[in-house]
């Protein structure tokens, strides 16, 4: 009886997850602003991570890897667009912070998932985590960059020493 109840709960929860995933995919497709894309990607990423976890736990590695590739592509695209936008992350950190925090949490979730999987399924997750960490470091560098142009107001690197 308990197993049937758990199965029913999973079946009922799945459409909600799919609806949220589809909703965030549609929002992302309509949005061009890099900051908004970063914020939407964080929400989409959360939904994708839920689906990725479910797929791997249900022994559907092919679906899990497909969703993992989508997740990686979405986060990398949002990060690269944000970094290429020319926005000053120190003055307007909004999207940068959202995405950096999401990546940090996503890396932890993927690490937890990799510990629960057979060795042969871990490679794709580890590769994704490495790529995300590289992007996270780029976002942190943008957030903490010290002005190198003395014509701009604010402390220069030399003034901090």
């Amino acid at each position: 009886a308990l197993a049937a109840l758990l199965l029913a709960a999973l079946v009922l929860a799945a459409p909600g997850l799919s609806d949220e995933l589809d909703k965030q995919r549609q929002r992302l497709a309509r949005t061009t602003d890099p900051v908004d894309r970063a914020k939407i990607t964080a929400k989409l990423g959360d939904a994708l991570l839920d689906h990725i976890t479910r797929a791997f736990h249900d022994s559907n590695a092919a679906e899990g890897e497909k969703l993992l590739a989508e997740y990686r592509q979405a986060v990398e695209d949002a990060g690269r667009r944000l970094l290429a936008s020319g926005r000053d992350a120190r003055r307007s950190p909004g999207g940068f912070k959202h995405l950096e925090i999401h990546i940090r949490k996503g890396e932890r979730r993927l690490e937890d998932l990799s510990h629960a999987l057979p060795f042969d399924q871990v490679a794709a997750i580890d590769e994704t985590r490495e790529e995300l960490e590289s992007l996270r470091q780029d976002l942190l560098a943008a957030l903490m960059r010290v002005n190198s142009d003395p014509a701009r107001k604010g402390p220069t690197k030399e003034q901090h020493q």
Side-chain angles (χ1 to χ4, degrees), residues 23-85:
K23 178 181 156 188
Q24 296 305 330
R25 283 175 176 152
Q26 290 169 4
R27 285 186 63 205
L28 188 62
R30 290 189 309 259
T31 305
T32 57
D33 179 63
V35 173
D36 291 340
R37 287 183 69 84
K39 291 176 181 179
I40 293 168
T41 298
K43 291 178 182 177
L44 173 64
D46 288 338
L48 280 168
L49 285 168
D50 290 340
H51 279 277
I52 291 165
T53 301
R54 174 166 289 139
F56 278 108
H57 283 301
D58 290 346
S59 299
N60 190 349
E63 179 67 13
E65 288 182 12
K66 180 182 127 204
L67 291 167
L68 187 63
E70 179 184 352
Y71 172 72
R72 179 178 173 177
Q73 181 62 42
V75 173
E76 285 181 346
D77 180 61
R80 298 296 166 214
R81 285 180 187 228
L82 198 55
L83 291 166
S85 70

Side-chain angles (χ1 to χ4, degrees), residues 146 155-161:
V146 177
T156 62
K157 197 174 196 175
E158 293 78 28
Q159 290 171 333
H160 275 131
Q161 295 176 354

Side-chain angles (χ1 to χ4, degrees), residues 101 103-113 129:
I101 291 167
I103 291 171
R104 188 167 8 108
K105 289 178 179 178
E107 284 178 336
R108 269 191 245 125
R109 287 182 67 182
L110 289 172
E111 181 179 10
D112 290 345
L113 175 61
R129 286 179 44 224

